[in-house]
Amino acid sequence: MEEPQRITDSFPRRRRGPGRPPGRLKDKKDKDKDKVQVKVRDCPRALLQPSLDPALLEMLRRFDLSWEYGPCTGITRLQRWERAQDLGLSPPGPIRDALLEHQDNP
């Protein structure tokens, strides 16, 4: 009889090097170095994106959390809006306008 497969079987196994205790993968120095790299990498991207209106963000948040327009996993906001429109659920028009206006900003 064959053993049932586990989801972890699809990932390659990693060997721990000698002298490295289980559960500790990085030194503290490496951890601090990663934090600095993330900060430097994220700064230019944050400067390029304009800040959005808080009212617009609140409107998008309400659209995301509203179950009357169907589930939102696996699709974009615009796809969800169009699906709700096709189903006759009458989603708010300003949502679509905002999504089309800010297509480059996820």
Side-chain angles (χ1 to χ4, degrees):
M1 188 161 85
E2 192 174 305
E3 246 183 81
Q5 289 187 336
R6 297 184 181 118
I7 193 165
T8 55
D9 293 339
S10 61
F11 296 103
R13 294 185 180 209
R14 298 178 71 186
R15 294 180 152 202
R16 291 190 178 98
R20 182 177 275 182
R24 253 189 103 197
L25 298 178
K26 290 187 176 182
D27 293 335
K28 185 175 177 167
K29 292 177 186 175
D30 294 339
K31 194 181 229 184
D32 293 339
K33 190 177 181 182
D34 290 343
K35 285 181 184 177
V36 170
Q37 288 176 351
V38 168
K39 287 180 183 176
V40 171
R41 192 175 1 158
D42 288 343
C43 286
R45 192 175 349 151
L47 293 175
L48 292 176
Q49 293 178 353
S51 61
L52 294 175
D53 181 31
L56 174 64
L57 293 176
E58 178 65 23
M59 185 173 57
L60 290 172
R61 186 184 71 80
R62 286 186 184 185
F63 178 71
D64 289 343
L65 296 177
S66 176
W67 278 99
E68 67 182 292
Y69 306 117
C72 58
T73 50
I75 61 173
T76 64
R77 284 175 172 154
L78 187 58
Q79 290 171 336
R80 184 172 182 238
W81 189 95
E82 290 171 348
R83 181 189 60 195
Q85 181 70 24
D86 291 342
L87 294 173
L89 299 175
S90 62
I95 296 285
R96 183 175 186 273
D97 297 337
L99 294 175
L100 291 175
E101 183 181 336
H102 302 283
Q103 279 184 332
D104 57 333
N105 189 350

Short mmCIF file of all heavy atoms in Angstrom, two decimals, residues 24-77:
data_model
loop_
_atom_site.label_atom_id
_atom_site.label_comp_id
_atom_site.label_asym_id
_atom_site.label_seq_id
_atom_site.Cartn_x
_atom_site.Cartn_y
_atom_site.Cartn_z
N ARG A 24 17.48 27.45 13.46
CA ARG A 24 18.21 28.70 13.25
C ARG A 24 18.81 28.67 11.87
O ARG A 24 19.77 27.96 11.61
CB ARG A 24 19.34 28.82 14.27
CG ARG A 24 19.05 29.84 15.33
CD ARG A 24 20.24 30.08 16.18
NE ARG A 24 20.84 31.34 15.77
CZ ARG A 24 22.05 31.70 16.08
NH1 ARG A 24 22.83 30.91 16.77
NH2 ARG A 24 22.52 32.85 15.70
N LEU A 25 18.25 29.45 10.96
CA LEU A 25 18.72 29.41 9.59
C LEU A 25 19.65 30.56 9.25
O LEU A 25 20.50 30.44 8.39
CB LEU A 25 17.53 29.42 8.63
CG LEU A 25 16.61 28.21 8.76
CD1 LEU A 25 15.44 28.35 7.81
CD2 LEU A 25 17.36 26.93 8.47
N LYS A 26 19.48 31.72 9.89
CA LYS A 26 20.31 32.87 9.57
C LYS A 26 20.92 33.44 10.84
O LYS A 26 20.33 33.38 11.91
CB LYS A 26 19.48 33.97 8.90
CG LYS A 26 19.04 33.63 7.51
CD LYS A 26 18.38 34.83 6.89
CE LYS A 26 18.02 34.54 5.47
NZ LYS A 26 17.42 35.71 4.83
N ASP A 27 22.06 34.04 10.66
CA ASP A 27 22.67 34.75 11.78
C ASP A 27 22.00 36.10 11.93
O ASP A 27 21.34 36.59 11.03
CB ASP A 27 24.17 34.96 11.53
CG ASP A 27 24.94 33.64 11.53
OD1 ASP A 27 24.44 32.69 12.17
OD2 ASP A 27 26.01 33.57 10.90
N LYS A 28 22.21 36.73 13.07
CA LYS A 28 21.61 38.04 13.31
C LYS A 28 22.14 39.07 12.32
O LYS A 28 21.42 39.94 11.86
CB LYS A 28 21.89 38.49 14.74
CG LYS A 28 21.19 39.77 15.07
CD LYS A 28 21.35 40.15 16.49
CE LYS A 28 20.66 41.48 16.62
NZ LYS A 28 20.35 42.06 17.70
N LYS A 29 23.41 38.97 11.95
CA LYS A 29 23.99 39.91 10.99
C LYS A 29 23.25 39.82 9.65
O LYS A 29 22.96 40.83 9.03
CB LYS A 29 25.46 39.62 10.79
CG LYS A 29 26.32 39.90 12.00
CD LYS A 29 27.75 39.52 11.73
CE LYS A 29 28.59 39.65 12.98
NZ LYS A 29 29.95 39.18 12.77
N ASP A 30 22.96 38.60 9.20
CA ASP A 30 22.24 38.42 7.94
C ASP A 30 20.84 39.01 8.02
O ASP A 30 20.35 39.58 7.06
CB ASP A 30 22.15 36.93 7.58
CG ASP A 30 23.52 36.33 7.27
OD1 ASP A 30 24.45 37.11 6.96
OD2 ASP A 30 23.65 35.10 7.36
N LYS A 31 20.21 38.87 9.16
CA LYS A 31 18.85 39.39 9.34
C LYS A 31 18.83 40.91 9.22
O LYS A 31 18.00 41.48 8.54
CB LYS A 31 18.32 38.96 10.71
CG LYS A 31 16.86 39.13 10.89
CD LYS A 31 16.48 38.70 12.29
CE LYS A 31 15.31 37.79 12.26
NZ LYS A 31 14.85 37.41 13.59
N ASP A 32 19.79 41.59 9.88
CA ASP A 32 19.87 43.04 9.79
C ASP A 32 20.18 43.48 8.37
O ASP A 32 19.66 44.48 7.88
CB ASP A 32 20.94 43.58 10.75
CG ASP A 32 20.57 43.37 12.21
OD1 ASP A 32 19.36 43.19 12.49
OD2 ASP A 32 21.48 43.37 13.06
N LYS A 33 21.01 42.73 7.69
CA LYS A 33 21.37 43.05 6.31
C LYS A 33 20.14 42.97 5.41
O LYS A 33 19.93 43.82 4.54
CB LYS A 33 22.44 42.07 5.84
CG LYS A 33 23.07 42.41 4.53
CD LYS A 33 24.16 41.40 4.24
CE LYS A 33 24.86 41.68 2.95
NZ LYS A 33 25.88 40.68 2.65
N ASP A 34 19.27 41.95 5.60
CA ASP A 34 18.05 41.81 4.82
C ASP A 34 17.11 42.99 5.05
O ASP A 34 16.49 43.47 4.13
CB ASP A 34 17.33 40.51 5.16
CG ASP A 34 18.09 39.29 4.64
OD1 ASP A 34 18.97 39.48 3.78
OD2 ASP A 34 17.80 38.18 5.11
N LYS A 35 17.00 43.45 6.29
CA LYS A 35 16.12 44.58 6.60
C LYS A 35 16.57 45.83 5.85
O LYS A 35 15.77 46.56 5.30
CB LYS A 35 16.11 44.85 8.10
CG LYS A 35 15.31 43.87 8.89
CD LYS A 35 15.33 44.25 10.35
CE LYS A 35 14.62 43.23 11.21
NZ LYS A 35 14.69 43.56 12.63
N VAL A 36 17.88 46.07 5.82
CA VAL A 36 18.40 47.25 5.14
C VAL A 36 18.12 47.15 3.65
O VAL A 36 17.71 48.11 3.02
CB VAL A 36 19.91 47.40 5.41
CG1 VAL A 36 20.51 48.47 4.53
CG2 VAL A 36 20.15 47.72 6.88
N GLN A 37 18.29 45.96 3.05
CA GLN A 37 18.05 45.79 1.62
C GLN A 37 16.59 46.02 1.28
O GLN A 37 16.27 46.63 0.28
CB GLN A 37 18.48 44.40 1.18
CG GLN A 37 19.99 44.25 1.15
CD GLN A 37 20.40 42.84 0.80
OE1 GLN A 37 19.58 41.93 0.74
NE2 GLN A 37 21.68 42.65 0.57
N VAL A 38 15.68 45.56 2.13
CA VAL A 38 14.26 45.75 1.87
C VAL A 38 13.91 47.22 1.91
O VAL A 38 13.20 47.72 1.06
CB VAL A 38 13.42 44.96 2.89
CG1 VAL A 38 11.97 45.35 2.82
CG2 VAL A 38 13.58 43.47 2.64
N LYS A 39 14.44 47.95 2.88
CA LYS A 39 14.14 49.37 2.99
C LYS A 39 14.64 50.13 1.76
O LYS A 39 13.94 50.94 1.21
CB LYS A 39 14.78 49.94 4.25
CG LYS A 39 14.09 49.52 5.53
CD LYS A 39 14.77 50.13 6.72
CE LYS A 39 14.15 49.66 8.00
NZ LYS A 39 14.87 50.17 9.17
N VAL A 40 15.84 49.84 1.32
CA VAL A 40 16.40 50.54 0.17
C VAL A 40 15.62 50.19 -1.09
O VAL A 40 15.35 51.03 -1.92
CB VAL A 40 17.90 50.18 0.01
CG1 VAL A 40 18.45 50.70 -1.30
CG2 VAL A 40 18.69 50.73 1.19
N ARG A 41 15.21 48.95 -1.22
CA ARG A 41 14.50 48.51 -2.41
C ARG A 41 13.09 49.10 -2.46
O ARG A 41 12.59 49.43 -3.53
CB ARG A 41 14.41 46.99 -2.40
CG ARG A 41 13.96 46.42 -3.69
CD ARG A 41 13.99 44.92 -3.69
NE ARG A 41 14.44 44.38 -2.42
CZ ARG A 41 14.19 43.18 -1.99
NH1 ARG A 41 13.50 42.37 -2.71
NH2 ARG A 41 14.63 42.75 -0.83
N ASP A 42 12.42 49.26 -1.34
CA ASP A 42 11.05 49.73 -1.32
C ASP A 42 10.93 51.25 -1.43
O ASP A 42 9.89 51.75 -1.83
CB ASP A 42 10.32 49.26 -0.06
CG ASP A 42 10.04 47.76 -0.11
OD1 ASP A 42 10.11 47.20 -1.21
OD2 ASP A 42 9.76 47.18 0.95
N CYS A 43 11.95 51.99 -1.06
CA CYS A 43 11.85 53.45 -1.06
C CYS A 43 11.55 54.04 -2.43
O CYS A 43 10.63 54.83 -2.56
CB CYS A 43 13.12 54.06 -0.48
SG CYS A 43 13.23 53.86 1.30
N PRO A 44 12.30 53.71 -3.49
CA PRO A 44 12.00 54.33 -4.79
C PRO A 44 10.61 54.01 -5.29
O PRO A 44 9.94 54.85 -5.87
CB PRO A 44 13.06 53.75 -5.72
CG PRO A 44 14.16 53.30 -4.83
CD PRO A 44 13.50 52.91 -3.54
N ARG A 45 10.13 52.80 -5.05
CA ARG A 45 8.81 52.42 -5.52
C ARG A 45 7.74 53.23 -4.80
O ARG A 45 6.75 53.66 -5.39
CB ARG A 45 8.58 50.93 -5.28
CG ARG A 45 7.37 50.42 -5.99
CD ARG A 45 7.18 48.93 -5.86
NE ARG A 45 8.30 48.24 -5.31
CZ ARG A 45 8.23 47.13 -4.62
NH1 ARG A 45 7.08 46.57 -4.40
NH2 ARG A 45 9.30 46.54 -4.16
N ALA A 46 7.93 53.47 -3.52
CA ALA A 46 6.96 54.24 -2.75
C ALA A 46 6.92 55.69 -3.22
O ALA A 46 5.87 56.32 -3.19
CB ALA A 46 7.30 54.17 -1.27
N LEU A 47 8.04 56.22 -3.65
CA LEU A 47 8.07 57.61 -4.10
C LEU A 47 7.39 57.79 -5.46
O LEU A 47 6.86 58.85 -5.75
CB LEU A 47 9.51 58.10 -4.18
CG LEU A 47 10.24 58.22 -2.85
CD1 LEU A 47 11.69 58.60 -3.08
CD2 LEU A 47 9.56 59.23 -1.95
N LEU A 48 7.41 56.75 -6.29
CA LEU A 48 6.83 56.87 -7.62
C LEU A 48 5.30 56.85 -7.60
O LEU A 48 4.67 57.45 -8.45
CB LEU A 48 7.33 55.73 -8.52
CG LEU A 48 8.81 55.78 -8.88
CD1 LEU A 48 9.19 54.55 -9.69
CD2 LEU A 48 9.14 57.04 -9.64
N GLN A 49 4.70 56.16 -6.64
CA GLN A 49 3.25 56.05 -6.61
C GLN A 49 2.65 57.26 -5.88
O GLN A 49 3.02 57.56 -4.75
CB GLN A 49 2.82 54.78 -5.89
CG GLN A 49 3.20 53.53 -6.64
CD GLN A 49 2.81 52.28 -5.88
OE1 GLN A 49 2.37 52.35 -4.74
NE2 GLN A 49 2.96 51.15 -6.51
N PRO A 50 1.73 57.95 -6.52
CA PRO A 50 1.10 59.09 -5.84
C PRO A 50 0.17 58.59 -4.75
O PRO A 50 -0.41 57.51 -4.84
CB PRO A 50 0.31 59.77 -6.96
CG PRO A 50 0.07 58.70 -7.96
CD PRO A 50 1.23 57.76 -7.87
N SER A 51 0.02 59.38 -3.71
CA SER A 51 -0.88 58.98 -2.63
C SER A 51 -2.33 59.15 -3.08
O SER A 51 -2.66 60.10 -3.78
CB SER A 51 -0.60 59.82 -1.38
OG SER A 51 -0.83 61.18 -1.67
N LEU A 52 -3.16 58.22 -2.70
CA LEU A 52 -4.56 58.25 -3.11
C LEU A 52 -5.41 58.96 -2.06
O LEU A 52 -5.05 59.03 -0.89
CB LEU A 52 -5.07 56.82 -3.31
CG LEU A 52 -4.42 56.06 -4.46
CD1 LEU A 52 -4.93 54.63 -4.48
CD2 LEU A 52 -4.70 56.73 -5.78
N ASP A 53 -6.54 59.43 -2.51
CA ASP A 53 -7.49 60.11 -1.65
C ASP A 53 -8.02 59.13 -0.60
O ASP A 53 -8.42 58.01 -0.94
CB ASP A 53 -8.63 60.66 -2.51
CG ASP A 53 -9.66 61.40 -1.70
OD1 ASP A 53 -9.29 61.99 -0.68
OD2 ASP A 53 -10.84 61.38 -2.11
N PRO A 54 -8.03 59.49 0.68
CA PRO A 54 -8.55 58.58 1.72
C PRO A 54 -10.00 58.18 1.48
O PRO A 54 -10.39 57.06 1.79
CB PRO A 54 -8.40 59.38 3.01
CG PRO A 54 -7.38 60.41 2.72
CD PRO A 54 -7.46 60.70 1.26
N ALA A 55 -10.80 59.07 0.90
CA ALA A 55 -12.21 58.73 0.62
C ALA A 55 -12.28 57.64 -0.44
O ALA A 55 -13.11 56.73 -0.37
CB ALA A 55 -12.97 59.96 0.18
N LEU A 56 -11.40 57.73 -1.44
CA LEU A 56 -11.35 56.71 -2.49
C LEU A 56 -10.93 55.37 -1.92
O LEU A 56 -11.52 54.33 -2.23
CB LEU A 56 -10.40 57.14 -3.60
CG LEU A 56 -10.13 56.12 -4.69
CD1 LEU A 56 -11.41 55.82 -5.46
CD2 LEU A 56 -9.04 56.61 -5.61
N LEU A 57 -9.92 55.38 -1.05
CA LEU A 57 -9.48 54.13 -0.42
C LEU A 57 -10.58 53.52 0.44
O LEU A 57 -10.75 52.30 0.46
CB LEU A 57 -8.22 54.39 0.40
CG LEU A 57 -6.97 54.76 -0.40
CD1 LEU A 57 -5.82 55.10 0.55
CD2 LEU A 57 -6.58 53.64 -1.33
N GLU A 58 -11.32 54.35 1.14
CA GLU A 58 -12.43 53.85 1.96
C GLU A 58 -13.52 53.23 1.07
O GLU A 58 -14.09 52.19 1.39
CB GLU A 58 -13.01 54.98 2.80
CG GLU A 58 -14.20 54.60 3.64
CD GLU A 58 -13.87 53.57 4.71
OE1 GLU A 58 -12.70 53.45 5.11
OE2 GLU A 58 -14.82 52.89 5.15
N MET A 59 -13.80 53.87 -0.07
CA MET A 59 -14.81 53.35 -1.00
C MET A 59 -14.36 52.00 -1.57
O MET A 59 -15.15 51.05 -1.64
CB MET A 59 -15.00 54.36 -2.14
CG MET A 59 -16.08 54.01 -3.11
SD MET A 59 -16.43 55.32 -4.31
CE MET A 59 -14.85 55.59 -5.07
N LEU A 60 -13.08 51.88 -1.91
CA LEU A 60 -12.55 50.60 -2.41
C LEU A 60 -12.58 49.53 -1.32
O LEU A 60 -12.88 48.37 -1.59
CB LEU A 60 -11.14 50.79 -2.94
CG LEU A 60 -11.00 51.59 -4.23
CD1 LEU A 60 -9.54 51.86 -4.53
CD2 LEU A 60 -11.67 50.87 -5.37
N ARG A 61 -12.27 49.92 -0.10
CA ARG A 61 -12.30 48.95 1.01
C ARG A 61 -13.70 48.41 1.23
O ARG A 61 -13.91 47.22 1.41
CB ARG A 61 -11.78 49.61 2.29
CG ARG A 61 -11.63 48.63 3.46
CD ARG A 61 -11.21 49.36 4.72
NE ARG A 61 -12.29 50.17 5.26
CZ ARG A 61 -13.29 49.69 6.01
NH1 ARG A 61 -13.35 48.41 6.29
NH2 ARG A 61 -14.22 50.50 6.46
N ARG A 62 -14.70 49.30 1.17
CA ARG A 62 -16.09 48.86 1.33
C ARG A 62 -16.51 47.93 0.20
O ARG A 62 -17.23 46.97 0.41
CB ARG A 62 -17.02 50.05 1.39
CG ARG A 62 -16.93 50.78 2.70
CD ARG A 62 -17.96 51.85 2.79
NE ARG A 62 -17.78 52.59 4.03
CZ ARG A 62 -18.59 53.52 4.43
NH1 ARG A 62 -19.63 53.86 3.70
NH2 ARG A 62 -18.37 54.14 5.56
N PHE A 63 -16.05 48.23 -1.02
CA PHE A 63 -16.34 47.35 -2.16
C PHE A 63 -15.69 45.99 -1.95
O PHE A 63 -16.31 44.95 -2.22
CB PHE A 63 -15.85 47.99 -3.46
CG PHE A 63 -16.06 47.13 -4.68
CD1 PHE A 63 -17.32 46.92 -5.19
CD2 PHE A 63 -14.98 46.55 -5.32
CE1 PHE A 63 -17.53 46.13 -6.31
CE2 PHE A 63 -15.17 45.76 -6.44
CZ PHE A 63 -16.45 45.56 -6.93
N ASP A 64 -14.45 45.97 -1.48
CA ASP A 64 -13.75 44.71 -1.24
C ASP A 64 -14.44 43.86 -0.18
O ASP A 64 -14.51 42.63 -0.31
CB ASP A 64 -12.31 44.96 -0.79
CG ASP A 64 -11.45 45.51 -1.91
OD1 ASP A 64 -11.83 45.39 -3.08
OD2 ASP A 64 -10.37 46.07 -1.60
N LEU A 65 -14.95 44.49 0.85
CA LEU A 65 -15.54 43.75 1.97
C LEU A 65 -17.02 43.43 1.78
O LEU A 65 -17.60 42.70 2.58
CB LEU A 65 -15.35 44.55 3.27
CG LEU A 65 -13.89 44.75 3.69
CD1 LEU A 65 -13.82 45.61 4.95
CD2 LEU A 65 -13.20 43.42 3.91
N SER A 66 -17.63 43.95 0.73
CA SER A 66 -19.05 43.72 0.51
C SER A 66 -19.27 42.38 -0.20
O SER A 66 -18.78 42.17 -1.31
CB SER A 66 -19.63 44.86 -0.34
OG SER A 66 -20.97 44.58 -0.64
N TRP A 67 -20.03 41.50 0.44
CA TRP A 67 -20.29 40.17 -0.13
C TRP A 67 -21.41 40.19 -1.17
O TRP A 67 -21.61 39.21 -1.87
CB TRP A 67 -20.64 39.18 0.98
CG TRP A 67 -19.42 38.67 1.64
CD1 TRP A 67 -18.88 39.11 2.81
CD2 TRP A 67 -18.55 37.67 1.15
NE1 TRP A 67 -17.73 38.43 3.07
CE2 TRP A 67 -17.50 37.52 2.08
CE3 TRP A 67 -18.54 36.86 0.02
CZ2 TRP A 67 -16.47 36.61 1.91
CZ3 TRP A 67 -17.51 35.95 -0.14
CH2 TRP A 67 -16.50 35.84 0.79
N GLU A 68 -22.13 41.28 -1.29
CA GLU A 68 -23.24 41.30 -2.24
C GLU A 68 -22.77 41.26 -3.69
O GLU A 68 -23.55 40.96 -4.59
CB GLU A 68 -24.13 42.52 -2.00
CG GLU A 68 -23.48 43.84 -2.30
CD GLU A 68 -24.40 45.00 -2.00
OE1 GLU A 68 -25.40 45.17 -2.71
OE2 GLU A 68 -24.10 45.74 -1.04
N TYR A 69 -21.48 41.56 -3.94
CA TYR A 69 -20.94 41.52 -5.29
C TYR A 69 -20.17 40.25 -5.58
O TYR A 69 -19.50 40.13 -6.59
CB TYR A 69 -20.05 42.74 -5.54
CG TYR A 69 -20.75 44.03 -5.24
CD1 TYR A 69 -20.31 44.87 -4.23
CD2 TYR A 69 -21.89 44.40 -5.95
CE1 TYR A 69 -20.98 46.05 -3.95
CE2 TYR A 69 -22.57 45.57 -5.67
CZ TYR A 69 -22.11 46.39 -4.66
OH TYR A 69 -22.77 47.54 -4.37
N GLY A 70 -20.27 39.28 -4.73
CA GLY A 70 -19.64 37.98 -4.94
C GLY A 70 -18.25 37.89 -4.32
O GLY A 70 -17.72 38.88 -3.82
N PRO A 71 -17.66 36.69 -4.39
CA PRO A 71 -16.33 36.49 -3.80
C PRO A 71 -15.26 37.27 -4.55
O PRO A 71 -15.40 37.57 -5.73
CB PRO A 71 -16.10 34.99 -3.92
CG PRO A 71 -17.04 34.52 -4.95
CD PRO A 71 -18.19 35.47 -4.97
N CYS A 72 -14.18 37.59 -3.84
CA CYS A 72 -13.14 38.43 -4.45
C CYS A 72 -11.80 37.73 -4.56
O CYS A 72 -10.82 38.36 -4.94
CB CYS A 72 -12.99 39.73 -3.65
SG CYS A 72 -12.58 39.47 -1.93
N THR A 73 -11.70 36.46 -4.25
CA THR A 73 -10.42 35.78 -4.31
C THR A 73 -10.12 35.33 -5.73
O THR A 73 -10.99 34.81 -6.43
CB THR A 73 -10.38 34.56 -3.38
OG1 THR A 73 -11.54 33.76 -3.63
CG2 THR A 73 -10.35 34.96 -1.93
N GLY A 74 -8.90 35.56 -6.14
CA GLY A 74 -8.44 35.08 -7.44
C GLY A 74 -8.73 36.00 -8.61
O GLY A 74 -8.38 35.66 -9.74
N ILE A 75 -9.38 37.13 -8.40
CA ILE A 75 -9.67 38.05 -9.50
C ILE A 75 -9.34 39.47 -9.06
O ILE A 75 -9.24 39.76 -7.87
CB ILE A 75 -11.14 37.96 -9.96
CG1 ILE A 75 -12.10 38.32 -8.83
CG2 ILE A 75 -11.47 36.62 -10.54
CD1 ILE A 75 -13.54 38.41 -9.26
N THR A 76 -9.19 40.34 -10.03
CA THR A 76 -8.91 41.73 -9.72
C THR A 76 -10.21 42.44 -9.34
O THR A 76 -11.31 41.93 -9.55
CB THR A 76 -8.28 42.44 -10.92
OG1 THR A 76 -9.21 42.46 -12.00
CG2 THR A 76 -7.00 41.74 -11.35
N ARG A 77 -10.06 43.64 -8.82
CA ARG A 77 -11.24 44.43 -8.46
C ARG A 77 -12.08 44.74 -9.70
O ARG A 77 -13.30 44.69 -9.65
CB ARG A 77 -10.83 45.74 -7.81
CG ARG A 77 -10.36 45.59 -6.39
CD ARG A 77 -9.87 46.94 -5.89
NE ARG A 77 -9.59 46.91 -4.47
CZ ARG A 77 -8.72 47.72 -3.89
NH1 ARG A 77 -8.07 48.61 -4.60
NH2 ARG A 77 -8.52 47.65 -2.60
#
